[in-house]
Amino acid sequence: MKKAPAVVTMADVARSAGVSTMTVSNVINGRPRVGAATRERVLATISELGYQVNLAARHLRAGRTGVVGLAVPELERPYFAQLAGRLADRFEAHGLRIVMERTGGGREGELDAVAFSRLRMYDGLILSVVDLDPSELNQLRTDAPVVMIGERALPSRFDHVMMDNVDGARQATAYLLGTGARRVAMIGGDPTGSANMPGLRAEGYAIAHAEAAVPVDPELNVRSSFGLQDGYDAIRSLLDRGIGFDAVFALTDVVAMGVLRALADAGLRVPDDIQVVGFDDIDEAAYLVPSLTSVNPGHDEMADRITELLTAQITGGPTGDPKEVVVPARVVARGTTKPPA
């Protein structure tokens, strides 16, 4: 048995197999220029010496790194972790890997993600936009492939894939009203008309009430952040102030989890006393007790379209004008809601 060098190179394989390095390269890359016997000998030598292809070097020679950046507001939020998993599966099929970074949901972090995407050795960048506006996006100086994702329409020179926040929230609220609920608390919404996620979901909440001719009680709109404790505290605030409600629309599933705990601690039964709907349909939603009714924002279609748009840019194919893709949402009914009346 031949003793393999500490670091095996292509030249080592060629020397051991008695062929040129070009022949080894042709075998590794599957080029039809090598006879069957020679190919078998080279493959056997590769296995014997434990040679591993340097994918990073291969990508760099091709002017690519094999890495796609995913810049999101928070790494801790389950929605983004699960989006990353879906994207990783799809990009791996194209020979690309995902690297995540956190922007903090702020303007500076989002600008940095785009401005330095080439310096950080990405072939392309997926940016979840929270704080940037269209004028800032259009002024960015980058020739790197970029796809924006996010909650709101952002006319710009970049492709953009977004969930339908307004209609998703409208469906969630309409579902609760359709079960007979008449006092639906909204946790986390912003009814001031802001064109961000809380504002868009508050818009859908209001539309559903208007369609059902049910007045909105402003006291049922509880502004909050989007952690577990925030959902818990919002419900405690309603209960402590004696504000009656028979259903809750939580703007994220994480908030809904805090809501469920607060209701349980108050001795209220879900869905018998209070119904609850979340938003995001994260994997954990189906495993809560009771399982959480939630809005699925179109996870698989979003991942498919993001991958399709970014790989088209990376490979240099014709992309045409910037594309804006809105993925439809749907309510997934589970144990925290009653059947429609």
PDB file of all heavy atoms in Angstrom, residues 143-168:
ATOM      1  N   ASP A 143     -22.639  45.563  -8.297  1.00  0.00           N
ATOM      2  CA  ASP A 143     -22.970  44.771  -9.476  1.00  0.00           C
ATOM      3  C   ASP A 143     -23.181  43.306  -9.089  1.00  0.00           C
ATOM      4  O   ASP A 143     -23.296  42.438  -9.939  1.00  0.00           O
ATOM      5  CB  ASP A 143     -21.882  44.883 -10.542  1.00  0.00           C
ATOM      6  CG  ASP A 143     -20.514  44.413 -10.025  1.00  0.00           C
ATOM      7  OD1 ASP A 143     -20.409  44.096  -8.816  1.00  0.00           O
ATOM      8  OD2 ASP A 143     -19.561  44.374 -10.817  1.00  0.00           O
ATOM      9  N   ALA A 144     -23.214  43.050  -7.787  1.00  0.00           N
ATOM     10  CA  ALA A 144     -23.415  41.677  -7.309  1.00  0.00           C
ATOM     11  C   ALA A 144     -24.870  41.262  -7.517  1.00  0.00           C
ATOM     12  O   ALA A 144     -25.778  42.088  -7.406  1.00  0.00           O
ATOM     13  CB  ALA A 144     -23.055  41.574  -5.832  1.00  0.00           C
ATOM     14  N   PRO A 145     -25.121  39.999  -7.809  1.00  0.00           N
ATOM     15  CA  PRO A 145     -26.508  39.512  -7.887  1.00  0.00           C
ATOM     16  C   PRO A 145     -27.192  39.656  -6.530  1.00  0.00           C
ATOM     17  O   PRO A 145     -26.662  39.224  -5.513  1.00  0.00           O
ATOM     18  CB  PRO A 145     -26.341  38.036  -8.268  1.00  0.00           C
ATOM     19  CG  PRO A 145     -25.004  37.960  -8.933  1.00  0.00           C
ATOM     20  CD  PRO A 145     -24.154  38.956  -8.202  1.00  0.00           C
ATOM     21  N   VAL A 146     -28.350  40.289  -6.521  1.00  0.00           N
ATOM     22  CA  VAL A 146     -29.084  40.544  -5.281  1.00  0.00           C
ATOM     23  C   VAL A 146     -30.561  40.253  -5.500  1.00  0.00           C
ATOM     24  O   VAL A 146     -31.131  40.637  -6.520  1.00  0.00           O
ATOM     25  CB  VAL A 146     -28.922  42.005  -4.809  1.00  0.00           C
ATOM     26  CG1 VAL A 146     -29.787  42.281  -3.583  1.00  0.00           C
ATOM     27  CG2 VAL A 146     -27.465  42.335  -4.512  1.00  0.00           C
ATOM     28  N   VAL A 147     -31.174  39.561  -4.533  1.00  0.00           N
ATOM     29  CA  VAL A 147     -32.626  39.415  -4.481  1.00  0.00           C
ATOM     30  C   VAL A 147     -33.082  39.917  -3.130  1.00  0.00           C
ATOM     31  O   VAL A 147     -32.557  39.497  -2.096  1.00  0.00           O
ATOM     32  CB  VAL A 147     -33.073  37.951  -4.696  1.00  0.00           C
ATOM     33  CG1 VAL A 147     -34.570  37.794  -4.393  1.00  0.00           C
ATOM     34  CG2 VAL A 147     -32.780  37.502  -6.120  1.00  0.00           C
ATOM     35  N   MET A 148     -34.052  40.833  -3.146  1.00  0.00           N
ATOM     36  CA  MET A 148     -34.630  41.345  -1.915  1.00  0.00           C
ATOM     37  C   MET A 148     -35.801  40.462  -1.481  1.00  0.00           C
ATOM     38  O   MET A 148     -36.560  39.981  -2.323  1.00  0.00           O
ATOM     39  CB  MET A 148     -35.144  42.781  -2.115  1.00  0.00           C
ATOM     40  CG  MET A 148     -34.100  43.770  -2.570  1.00  0.00           C
ATOM     41  SD  MET A 148     -32.923  44.126  -1.247  1.00  0.00           S
ATOM     42  CE  MET A 148     -31.803  45.257  -2.104  1.00  0.00           C
ATOM     43  N   ILE A 149     -35.925  40.269  -0.195  1.00  0.00           N
ATOM     44  CA  ILE A 149     -37.116  39.642   0.351  1.00  0.00           C
ATOM     45  C   ILE A 149     -37.633  40.558   1.446  1.00  0.00           C
ATOM     46  O   ILE A 149     -36.882  41.371   1.986  1.00  0.00           O
ATOM     47  CB  ILE A 149     -36.864  38.225   0.898  1.00  0.00           C
ATOM     48  CG1 ILE A 149     -35.830  38.239   2.032  1.00  0.00           C
ATOM     49  CG2 ILE A 149     -36.408  37.290  -0.209  1.00  0.00           C
ATOM     50  CD1 ILE A 149     -35.626  36.888   2.699  1.00  0.00           C
ATOM     51  N   GLY A 150     -38.911  40.455   1.760  1.00  0.00           N
ATOM     52  CA  GLY A 150     -39.392  41.315   2.818  1.00  0.00           C
ATOM     53  C   GLY A 150     -40.890  41.437   2.833  1.00  0.00           C
ATOM     54  O   GLY A 150     -41.609  40.695   2.168  1.00  0.00           O
ATOM     55  N   GLU A 151     -41.331  42.415   3.581  1.00  0.00           N
ATOM     56  CA  GLU A 151     -42.733  42.523   3.930  1.00  0.00           C
ATOM     57  C   GLU A 151     -43.508  43.498   3.060  1.00  0.00           C
ATOM     58  O   GLU A 151     -44.726  43.492   3.052  1.00  0.00           O
ATOM     59  CB  GLU A 151     -42.848  42.992   5.391  1.00  0.00           C
ATOM     60  CG  GLU A 151     -41.888  42.319   6.361  1.00  0.00           C
ATOM     61  CD  GLU A 151     -42.243  40.883   6.652  1.00  0.00           C
ATOM     62  OE1 GLU A 151     -43.286  40.444   6.178  1.00  0.00           O
ATOM     63  OE2 GLU A 151     -41.464  40.200   7.346  1.00  0.00           O
ATOM     64  N   ARG A 152     -42.818  44.383   2.336  1.00  0.00           N
ATOM     65  CA  ARG A 152     -43.517  45.467   1.657  1.00  0.00           C
ATOM     66  C   ARG A 152     -42.961  45.666   0.262  1.00  0.00           C
ATOM     67  O   ARG A 152     -41.843  45.267  -0.049  1.00  0.00           O
ATOM     68  CB  ARG A 152     -43.347  46.764   2.463  1.00  0.00           C
ATOM     69  CG  ARG A 152     -41.901  47.146   2.680  1.00  0.00           C
ATOM     70  CD  ARG A 152     -41.725  48.146   3.805  1.00  0.00           C
ATOM     71  NE  ARG A 152     -40.322  48.294   4.175  1.00  0.00           N
ATOM     72  CZ  ARG A 152     -39.569  49.333   3.834  1.00  0.00           C
ATOM     73  NH1 ARG A 152     -40.073  50.302   3.091  1.00  0.00           N
ATOM     74  NH2 ARG A 152     -38.310  49.410   4.218  1.00  0.00           N
ATOM     75  N   ALA A 153     -43.768  46.303  -0.589  1.00  0.00           N
ATOM     76  CA  ALA A 153     -43.342  46.607  -1.948  1.00  0.00           C
ATOM     77  C   ALA A 153     -42.236  47.658  -1.909  1.00  0.00           C
ATOM     78  O   ALA A 153     -42.348  48.664  -1.224  1.00  0.00           O
ATOM     79  CB  ALA A 153     -44.520  47.114  -2.766  1.00  0.00           C
ATOM     80  N   LEU A 154     -41.155  47.405  -2.649  1.00  0.00           N
ATOM     81  CA  LEU A 154     -40.022  48.326  -2.703  1.00  0.00           C
ATOM     82  C   LEU A 154     -39.573  48.462  -4.153  1.00  0.00           C
ATOM     83  O   LEU A 154     -38.648  47.768  -4.588  1.00  0.00           O
ATOM     84  CB  LEU A 154     -38.861  47.807  -1.849  1.00  0.00           C
ATOM     85  CG  LEU A 154     -39.009  47.897  -0.338  1.00  0.00           C
ATOM     86  CD1 LEU A 154     -37.932  47.087   0.355  1.00  0.00           C
ATOM     87  CD2 LEU A 154     -38.934  49.356   0.109  1.00  0.00           C
ATOM     88  N   PRO A 155     -40.214  49.325  -4.940  1.00  0.00           N
ATOM     89  CA  PRO A 155     -39.804  49.486  -6.338  1.00  0.00           C
ATOM     90  C   PRO A 155     -38.331  49.858  -6.415  1.00  0.00           C
ATOM     91  O   PRO A 155     -37.905  50.876  -5.847  1.00  0.00           O
ATOM     92  CB  PRO A 155     -40.699  50.624  -6.838  1.00  0.00           C
ATOM     93  CG  PRO A 155     -41.865  50.635  -5.904  1.00  0.00           C
ATOM     94  CD  PRO A 155     -41.320  50.209  -4.572  1.00  0.00           C
ATOM     95  N   SER A 156     -37.530  49.035  -7.061  1.00  0.00           N
ATOM     96  CA  SER A 156     -36.095  49.297  -7.147  1.00  0.00           C
ATOM     97  C   SER A 156     -35.541  48.506  -8.320  1.00  0.00           C
ATOM     98  O   SER A 156     -36.275  47.836  -9.041  1.00  0.00           O
ATOM     99  CB  SER A 156     -35.382  48.885  -5.851  1.00  0.00           C
ATOM    100  OG  SER A 156     -35.337  47.470  -5.732  1.00  0.00           O
ATOM    101  N   ARG A 157     -34.233  48.580  -8.482  1.00  0.00           N
ATOM    102  CA  ARG A 157     -33.604  47.870  -9.594  1.00  0.00           C
ATOM    103  C   ARG A 157     -33.276  46.419  -9.251  1.00  0.00           C
ATOM    104  O   ARG A 157     -32.653  45.724 -10.041  1.00  0.00           O
ATOM    105  CB  ARG A 157     -32.334  48.606 -10.016  1.00  0.00           C
ATOM    106  CG  ARG A 157     -31.288  48.738  -8.918  1.00  0.00           C
ATOM    107  CD  ARG A 157     -30.202  49.711  -9.358  1.00  0.00           C
ATOM    108  NE  ARG A 157     -29.214  49.944  -8.328  1.00  0.00           N
ATOM    109  CZ  ARG A 157     -28.105  49.217  -8.169  1.00  0.00           C
ATOM    110  NH1 ARG A 157     -27.874  48.189  -8.952  1.00  0.00           N
ATOM    111  NH2 ARG A 157     -27.246  49.520  -7.211  1.00  0.00           N
ATOM    112  N   PHE A 158     -33.697  45.954  -8.078  1.00  0.00           N
ATOM    113  CA  PHE A 158     -33.427  44.590  -7.655  1.00  0.00           C
ATOM    114  C   PHE A 158     -34.682  43.723  -7.743  1.00  0.00           C
ATOM    115  O   PHE A 158     -35.789  44.202  -7.510  1.00  0.00           O
ATOM    116  CB  PHE A 158     -32.913  44.560  -6.214  1.00  0.00           C
ATOM    117  CG  PHE A 158     -31.646  45.328  -6.003  1.00  0.00           C
ATOM    118  CD1 PHE A 158     -31.655  46.554  -5.345  1.00  0.00           C
ATOM    119  CD2 PHE A 158     -30.440  44.834  -6.462  1.00  0.00           C
ATOM    120  CE1 PHE A 158     -30.490  47.273  -5.139  1.00  0.00           C
ATOM    121  CE2 PHE A 158     -29.258  45.539  -6.268  1.00  0.00           C
ATOM    122  CZ  PHE A 158     -29.288  46.764  -5.611  1.00  0.00           C
ATOM    123  N   ASP A 159     -34.486  42.450  -8.056  1.00  0.00           N
ATOM    124  CA  ASP A 159     -35.598  41.499  -7.948  1.00  0.00           C
ATOM    125  C   ASP A 159     -36.066  41.444  -6.499  1.00  0.00           C
ATOM    126  O   ASP A 159     -35.264  41.587  -5.563  1.00  0.00           O
ATOM    127  CB  ASP A 159     -35.152  40.102  -8.391  1.00  0.00           C
ATOM    128  CG  ASP A 159     -34.893  40.005  -9.888  1.00  0.00           C
ATOM    129  OD1 ASP A 159     -35.412  40.859 -10.626  1.00  0.00           O
ATOM    130  OD2 ASP A 159     -34.182  39.088 -10.308  1.00  0.00           O
ATOM    131  N   HIS A 160     -37.372  41.194  -6.311  1.00  0.00           N
ATOM    132  CA  HIS A 160     -37.937  41.245  -4.967  1.00  0.00           C
ATOM    133  C   HIS A 160     -39.018  40.178  -4.826  1.00  0.00           C
ATOM    134  O   HIS A 160     -39.932  40.107  -5.639  1.00  0.00           O
ATOM    135  CB  HIS A 160     -38.547  42.631  -4.729  1.00  0.00           C
ATOM    136  CG  HIS A 160     -38.986  42.868  -3.319  1.00  0.00           C
ATOM    137  ND1 HIS A 160     -39.794  43.919  -2.949  1.00  0.00           N
ATOM    138  CD2 HIS A 160     -38.743  42.182  -2.164  1.00  0.00           C
ATOM    139  CE1 HIS A 160     -40.017  43.877  -1.649  1.00  0.00           C
ATOM    140  NE2 HIS A 160     -39.389  42.830  -1.159  1.00  0.00           N
ATOM    141  N   VAL A 161     -38.884  39.338  -3.800  1.00  0.00           N
ATOM    142  CA  VAL A 161     -39.876  38.315  -3.487  1.00  0.00           C
ATOM    143  C   VAL A 161     -40.446  38.635  -2.113  1.00  0.00           C
ATOM    144  O   VAL A 161     -39.687  38.797  -1.152  1.00  0.00           O
ATOM    145  CB  VAL A 161     -39.252  36.906  -3.479  1.00  0.00           C
ATOM    146  CG1 VAL A 161     -40.306  35.859  -3.127  1.00  0.00           C
ATOM    147  CG2 VAL A 161     -38.629  36.586  -4.840  1.00  0.00           C
ATOM    148  N   MET A 162     -41.776  38.739  -2.031  1.00  0.00           N
ATOM    149  CA  MET A 162     -42.361  39.095  -0.736  1.00  0.00           C
ATOM    150  C   MET A 162     -43.631  38.305  -0.470  1.00  0.00           C
ATOM    151  O   MET A 162     -44.315  37.851  -1.389  1.00  0.00           O
ATOM    152  CB  MET A 162     -42.646  40.595  -0.669  1.00  0.00           C
ATOM    153  CG  MET A 162     -43.546  41.112  -1.745  1.00  0.00           C
ATOM    154  SD  MET A 162     -43.733  42.907  -1.588  1.00  0.00           S
ATOM    155  CE  MET A 162     -44.554  43.277  -3.127  1.00  0.00           C
ATOM    156  N   MET A 163     -43.937  38.167   0.808  1.00  0.00           N
ATOM    157  CA  MET A 163     -45.174  37.528   1.226  1.00  0.00           C
ATOM    158  C   MET A 163     -46.315  38.534   1.167  1.00  0.00           C
ATOM    159  O   MET A 163     -46.092  39.746   1.219  1.00  0.00           O
ATOM    160  CB  MET A 163     -45.033  36.944   2.633  1.00  0.00           C
ATOM    161  CG  MET A 163     -44.787  37.965   3.710  1.00  0.00           C
ATOM    162  SD  MET A 163     -44.624  37.225   5.354  1.00  0.00           S
ATOM    163  CE  MET A 163     -43.086  36.315   5.194  1.00  0.00           C
ATOM    164  N   ASP A 164     -47.543  38.028   1.071  1.00  0.00           N
ATOM    165  CA  ASP A 164     -48.710  38.906   0.996  1.00  0.00           C
ATOM    166  C   ASP A 164     -49.222  39.164   2.408  1.00  0.00           C
ATOM    167  O   ASP A 164     -50.148  38.517   2.898  1.00  0.00           O
ATOM    168  CB  ASP A 164     -49.802  38.270   0.132  1.00  0.00           C
ATOM    169  CG  ASP A 164     -50.856  39.277  -0.284  1.00  0.00           C
ATOM    170  OD1 ASP A 164     -50.976  40.311   0.393  1.00  0.00           O
ATOM    171  OD2 ASP A 164     -51.564  39.023  -1.273  1.00  0.00           O
ATOM    172  N   ASN A 165     -48.604  40.139   3.067  1.00  0.00           N
ATOM    173  CA  ASN A 165     -48.947  40.442   4.452  1.00  0.00           C
ATOM    174  C   ASN A 165     -50.387  40.899   4.619  1.00  0.00           C
ATOM    175  O   ASN A 165     -51.076  40.485   5.554  1.00  0.00           O
ATOM    176  CB  ASN A 165     -48.011  41.524   4.987  1.00  0.00           C
ATOM    177  CG  ASN A 165     -46.676  40.975   5.404  1.00  0.00           C
ATOM    178  OD1 ASN A 165     -46.573  40.246   6.370  1.00  0.00           O
ATOM    179  ND2 ASN A 165     -45.650  41.315   4.657  1.00  0.00           N
ATOM    180  N   VAL A 166     -50.843  41.759   3.720  1.00  0.00           N
ATOM    181  CA  VAL A 166     -52.191  42.308   3.864  1.00  0.00           C
ATOM    182  C   VAL A 166     -53.227  41.212   3.733  1.00  0.00           C
ATOM    183  O   VAL A 166     -54.104  41.040   4.596  1.00  0.00           O
ATOM    184  CB  VAL A 166     -52.441  43.421   2.834  1.00  0.00           C
ATOM    185  CG1 VAL A 166     -53.900  43.883   2.898  1.00  0.00           C
ATOM    186  CG2 VAL A 166     -51.502  44.599   3.072  1.00  0.00           C
ATOM    187  N   ASP A 167     -53.135  40.424   2.663  1.00  0.00           N
ATOM    188  CA  ASP A 167     -54.163  39.408   2.469  1.00  0.00           C
ATOM    189  C   ASP A 167     -54.031  38.268   3.474  1.00  0.00           C
ATOM    190  O   ASP A 167     -55.038  37.679   3.893  1.00  0.00           O
ATOM    191  CB  ASP A 167     -54.116  38.850   1.046  1.00  0.00           C
ATOM    192  CG  ASP A 167     -55.351  38.020   0.728  1.00  0.00           C
ATOM    193  OD1 ASP A 167     -56.470  38.580   0.773  1.00  0.00           O
ATOM    194  OD2 ASP A 167     -55.217  36.799   0.475  1.00  0.00           O
ATOM    195  N   GLY A 168     -52.809  37.948   3.874  1.00  0.00           N
ATOM    196  CA  GLY A 168     -52.640  36.919   4.896  1.00  0.00           C
ATOM    197  C   GLY A 168     -53.308  37.311   6.193  1.00  0.00           C
ATOM    198  O   GLY A 168     -54.009  36.509   6.837  1.00  0.00           O
TER     199      GLY A 168
END
